[in-house]
Amino acid sequence: MASSSKANLAEQDEGEEAEEIEHFNDFTLASSWERFISEIEATCRQWLADGPKRLLEKGAVHLDSSDNIYKVKSELKNAAKIYSMEYYFEISGKIADWNCTLHDLQLCFGVKEFLVISPQSASGVVLDAPEATKLLSAVSIALANCSSLWPAFVPVHDPSRKAFIGIQNMGTIFTRRFEADRIGSQVPIKFMHLEGLYELFVSKFAYCMSDHSMHLFRVHLLMKLTYQTLSNDEDNYDDIQEADTENAESETSPGCGNPNRKHWDDDCPWNEWYSAEDPVMRFDLVVTWSEKVVESSLEMAEMENASPHEAEKWILAPNLYPNLDSSKGDRIGFASQLHLLVNALEMSFEAPFIEDFVSVENPGSDNLESTMVIPPPTVLDRVLKDLFLEDPQLPDFAKDEHKSSRAIKGAPVESLFVQFCLHSLWFGNCNIRAIAVLWIEFVQEIRWHWEESQPLPKIPANGSIDLATCLINQKLQMLAICIGKKRELNEEFEDCIGTKDDASANMEKMQEVNKVGDESSSFHARSQAFDEKRDSLLTPEGFNGSKTVESKFSANAQDVHSSDKSTLDSIRRGSAGPVGSMKLLKLCQSLHAPFTQSAPLMTEDMHEERLRAIETFGFSFLERETLSSDMSAFKAANPGAVFEDFIRWYSPRDWENDESEAKGPSTDLTEGMNVDWPPQGRLSRRMSESGNFWRKIWDEAPILPASEQKPLLDPNREGEKILHYLETMQPHQLLEQMVCSAFRASADTLNQTNYGSLKEMDTKMDQLYLTMASTLRPLQVNLLSNTSDTIEDLQRLCVVFEHVEKLLILAASLHRRFRQVPRISEAIFSNYYNFYLPTMGIGLADVDTQKEFDMKLQLSQNERQVVSNMFTPPTANQSWRKVLSMGNHLNGHEPILREIIFSMHDNASDNHYASSSHRDYQQDTETYRMYTCGTSNDLRVALSIISYD
């Protein structure tokens, strides 16, 4: 027991000794402030050991305001206060000049990497001066213990002043001290001018001199001036002010406006439909002078009067509107309206008829009433008047058409249906109800044109149907042709009515002169109505080379004429002339080509119906009618012709020449005449078969020239069929064709924009057309359904269209400004295009799409004048609003920002700071540096001075 108790006492003593060791107080760090310095030192040693690359791996934060600056952060606690210490560093060893994006402290004091220590408070600054000095001393001691040359800064005073104090150990007997402050208002007039700023800098080291202008100091000077063009808002404000003034002076003149007011895109192709906001807000022009050595304030006064054209560098920086980024989604254009049209297409499957979306009896009408608004009748009337306004001269439908445009089954931009589609995009915000109302009125207007035989506007009058366009456009082209035919028939009927009395009077005289031949006379009168068709008696043509032959055939001709004089078959009618040297088989007469009716025009659905009939019956009704018409015309032009003659002319491949059995030229008629008659050959197998379809039609075809035949195209019947199609088509069929036509028309409209030689824009337009063609293909072949994924594809297409539209508007804006120097517009657009790629889903995945566009372009000498012209002289209204207080004006504009760096360089061995140091400092040292930034109403000064410890 005694041994165990002794053991316990021994363990207890050892525990107390260990506890005393754990709570050992190091009296070398007695105060909390000294512990705070030690913590700063430990953090700085860790950052120094890691280096920039290791710090990046540990999660250093990149600054958005700079391309090459990162920072790390650490929290430090001293008593009840918590401080934040940040280390700013660069990863490249390149020395950045002030034309690059620098941190504010880098620009003010000319440092590269630095520390900032500040309290974690609402203001983020040290308001107590002793505390700021003590905090800066702690950092300075810690950095000295680390043998670090990092400068350290502490924010002081009010945050709006952007004031700092700082210190840097130079590693020698010198220390650099920093101080920055700002005057936010009421800047002394002296400091508004370069002369006053120069004297301010000189006063920092010329303490005993009362008049600095009389002494010479070699002061190094760098100056940068920033000019800014007026924004669109400022231009509009000035225009409004001037317009108000003009209206006040001319109130007695109604209708007098300001003819000089003009929006930037008034002559752009999209301006007919919407006015786009200029994506370029303004331009900043940064003018930089090379380093100069100034020895007196008089030189500064001269420099203030210098022209910006004398500067060494001109750098142009475009400022774009933030909502140019598609993520904002608040821009109005073709893309936004096409998206609404796609939504209308999705809703079109909810009803079988167009009228259902207008009728209040529709089951879904309550939802339609609450969400979709129909414009007032005045707007509807204005749209219809614009659509059906007759233009005496039709536009060029193929003008500025993209090479891939016809791959999309739409219609030309200027055509009637496409104009309807484009108006629909902006009518009632393109909802399904508004589209239904507009379509119903549109079709009613078309019916009025049909019933009144009025030509349809915006339809080409070439009498053809473009099968590459949408079906509705084909129907309208067909209807325009039917209206033309109908007008011709109406005019002929009116002519007949007008001459009815004269015709009856002449008929009585004709009956007295010749009671026989009334039928032939009336036929002759009808045939004369066609200039291209003339009648001729049968005569032995081609045999007028010999009198003997003429005398022989003259008797035969008289016999034929006399024997067949009373019959119509002896008269050649509707002949277009002989076909070379071809002869009829049964008569030694030339084979004549007849005038035939033109093949009836057909739309796409009519062609499909014809093909189905051929697949089912082997022929179509239209083919039979056309073939019968041609055979009748051939018989009339070639009396006495046989079926084989028609085949030789109409289908030569079905006539087989038998050259082996061909006889020589016949000499039966006369000696010395070489006549290749009769022709030798036979019908092909398919034509010689019994019950041949063609021979049956030949036997039934009457002898009638084309002028007397029934027209193959019945304009009344076809016109009513077209109107029936337009009035009864299903909503989704209408919307499908509208979507295709609207996408193509919108792209064609944008394609007319003049944006210069921007290859990136050309590439994007080509890609857009190919994307549209592939995405819209299901709509062109009627494969769309209300559950189809095509709707989602169309919505994605709207996003792609929006990207291209915004890029194109930017390209147009830049091109208008820099027509004479296209390099500038090409450089800016190319830079923004690469910046915009991640937004379009084409760029790299790790690109920060939230970063704002920032670009600086250095200008050449020949480009300066064009940029200078952008700074138009201020108007009288602008002049009184701005008081010019600074020099270096550019076309009457003062700089919005003036930055100057004054510096004084000394040789360390020659100045009074050099002492008994064992090291020899022969380098040229920047002993004084002052950075000034501001205008006449704002001045910031940052000073750095090397002092002797």
Side-chain angles (χ1 to χ4, degrees), residues 570-627:
S570 63
I571 302 176
R572 189 186 305 278
R573 297 174 292 169
S575 170
V579 182
S581 60
M582 293 183 66
K583 303 292 182 180
L584 298 176
L585 289 173
K586 301 300 182 181
L587 298 174
C588 187
Q589 302 291 330
S590 295
L591 188 149
H592 283 243
F595 284 106
T596 60
Q597 294 192 59
S598 299
L601 298 175
M602 293 186 293
T603 57
E604 187 177 38
D605 58 337
M606 295 172 67
H607 279 284
E608 294 175 356
E609 182 181 354
R610 168 178 168 270
L611 292 177
R612 287 193 295 268
I614 293 175
E615 291 177 359
T616 305
F617 304 106
F619 65 91
S620 66
F621 175 79
L622 183 61
E623 279 188 329
R624 179 187 180 93
E625 291 293 318
T626 303
L627 188 59

Side-chain angles (χ1 to χ4, degrees), residues 264 270 278-280 808-818:
W264 79 275
W270 64 78
D278 192 345
V280 181
L808 186 137
I809 293 175
L810 174 62
S813 177
L814 293 174
H815 177 68
R816 292 167 64 86
R817 288 178 167 90
F818 304 108

Side-chain angles (χ1 to χ4, degrees), residues 448-690:
W448 180 87
H449 280 72
W450 163 252
E451 294 176 351
E452 300 296 328
S453 300
Q454 296 298 318
L456 289 176
K458 302 179 178 64
I459 299 293
N462 53 9
S464 62
I465 297 177
D466 189 356
L467 297 178
T469 61
C470 64
L471 183 57
I472 294 180
N473 185 70
Q474 297 178 36
K475 294 290 185 181
L476 292 177
Q477 289 179 337
M478 184 77 168
L479 185 62
I481 296 172
C482 292
I483 291 176
K485 297 289 187 182
K486 187 178 178 183
R487 287 171 61 90
E488 292 179 3
L489 294 176
N490 292 341
E491 291 174 358
E492 292 179 3
F493 179 75
E494 291 175 359
D495 292 341
C496 292
I497 296 298
T499 58
K500 184 177 181 180
D501 297 336
D502 296 337
S504 60
N506 293 333
M507 185 63 69
E508 295 178 358
K509 296 181 180 180
M510 291 175 63
Q511 289 176 352
E512 294 178 358
V513 175
N514 188 5
K515 295 182 179 180
V516 182
D518 291 344
E519 184 178 1
S520 62
S521 299
S522 61
F523 159 74
H524 184 72
R526 289 194 303 270
S527 62
Q528 289 296 326
F530 295 84
D531 295 336
E532 72 278 6
K533 306 174 181 63
R534 64 181 185 274
D535 302 333
S536 59
L537 296 177
L538 283 175
T539 56
E541 299 171 347
F543 294 90
N544 54 359
S546 170
K547 292 182 180 180
T548 308
V549 175
E550 183 178 359
S551 61
K552 287 184 178 181
F553 274 90
S554 60
N556 295 335
Q558 290 176 358
D559 295 339
V560 173
H561 183 271
S562 60
S563 62
D564 298 337
K565 185 176 180 180
S566 60
T567 63
L568 295 177
D569 293 341
S570 63
I571 302 176
R572 189 186 305 278
R573 297 174 292 169
S575 170
V579 182
S581 60
M582 293 183 66
K583 303 292 182 180
L584 298 176
L585 289 173
K586 301 300 182 181
L587 298 174
C588 187
Q589 302 291 330
S590 295
L591 188 149
H592 283 243
F595 284 106
T596 60
Q597 294 192 59
S598 299
L601 298 175
M602 293 186 293
T603 57
E604 187 177 38
D605 58 337
M606 295 172 67
H607 279 284
E608 294 175 356
E609 182 181 354
R610 168 178 168 270
L611 292 177
R612 287 193 295 268
I614 293 175
E615 291 177 359
T616 305
F617 304 106
F619 65 91
S620 66
F621 175 79
L622 183 61
E623 279 188 329
R624 179 187 180 93
E625 291 293 318
T626 303
L627 188 59
S628 176
S629 172
D630 293 343
M631 288 179 175
S632 296
F634 185 85
K635 287 183 176 181
N638 299 277
V642 295
F643 176 67
E644 287 79 0
D645 292 323
F646 177 77
I647 294 299
R648 290 168 56 219
W649 169 72
Y650 197 82
S651 182
R653 64 187 182 89
D654 286 311
W655 177 259
E656 300 174 357
N657 290 320
D658 190 3
E659 296 181 357
S660 61
E661 300 178 3
K663 299 179 181 178
S666 174
T667 56
D668 295 340
L669 298 177
T670 179
E671 253 180 62
M673 293 294 297
N674 293 327
V675 180
D676 188 10
W677 185 85
Q680 301 299 316
R682 59 183 179 273
L683 292 174
S684 63
R685 176 176 297 179
R686 77 182 186 104
M687 288 296 175
S688 57
E689 291 176 353
S690 111

Side-chain angles (χ1 to χ4, degrees), residues 283-471:
F283 284 92
D284 290 344
L285 176 62
V286 180
V287 178
T288 307
W289 269 262
S290 58
E291 184 175 356
K292 293 185 177 183
V293 177
V294 181
E295 297 183 349
S296 68
S297 59
L298 296 177
E299 294 184 32
M300 296 300 297
E302 293 178 0
M303 189 172 183
E304 187 170 343
N305 296 325
S307 170
H309 290 275
E310 300 176 9
E312 178 189 14
K313 292 181 180 179
W314 278 31
I315 297 177
L316 189 66
N319 290 335
L320 307 182
Y321 275 102
N323 62 347
L324 184 61
D325 188 356
S326 63
S327 61
K328 306 295 181 182
D330 55 355
R331 294 174 64 91
I332 300 298
F334 282 126
S336 62
Q337 304 308 113
L338 289 171
H339 184 78
L340 296 175
L341 184 62
V342 172
N343 294 338
L345 170 62
E346 188 175 13
M347 293 191 65
S348 65
F349 291 93
E350 297 180 2
F353 302 105
I354 295 290
E355 291 78 7
D356 293 339
F357 291 103
V358 182
S359 174
V360 295
E361 298 178 358
N362 186 28
S365 60
D366 294 338
N367 183 34
L368 295 177
E369 286 284 348
S370 60
T371 59
M372 302 181 182
V373 180
I374 300 176
T378 55
V379 178
L380 179 61
D381 293 341
R382 186 168 62 248
V383 172
L384 292 175
K385 286 180 181 179
D386 184 72
L387 284 172
F388 291 94
L389 180 65
E390 293 187 7
D391 191 350
Q393 183 177 2
L394 284 174
D396 184 4
F397 290 95
K399 181 181 179 183
D400 298 328
E401 191 177 68
H402 192 272
K403 59 183 179 180
S404 302
S405 179
R406 294 182 66 83
I408 305 169
K409 206 171 184 63
V413 177
E414 300 297 334
S415 61
L416 180 60
F417 178 64
V418 168
Q419 289 294 303
F420 166 82
C421 295
L422 292 176
H423 274 289
S424 299
L425 293 178
W426 313 97
F427 185 75
N429 206 19
C430 198
N431 63 76
I432 186 64
R433 290 192 67 215
I435 293 174
V437 170
L438 184 60
W439 175 254
I440 292 172
E441 296 295 331
F442 178 76
V443 174
Q444 288 180 358
E445 191 71 21
I446 290 177
R447 175 167 284 282
W448 180 87
H449 280 72
W450 163 252
E451 294 176 351
E452 300 296 328
S453 300
Q454 296 298 318
L456 289 176
K458 302 179 178 64
I459 299 293
N462 53 9
S464 62
I465 297 177
D466 189 356
L467 297 178
T469 61
C470 64
L471 183 57

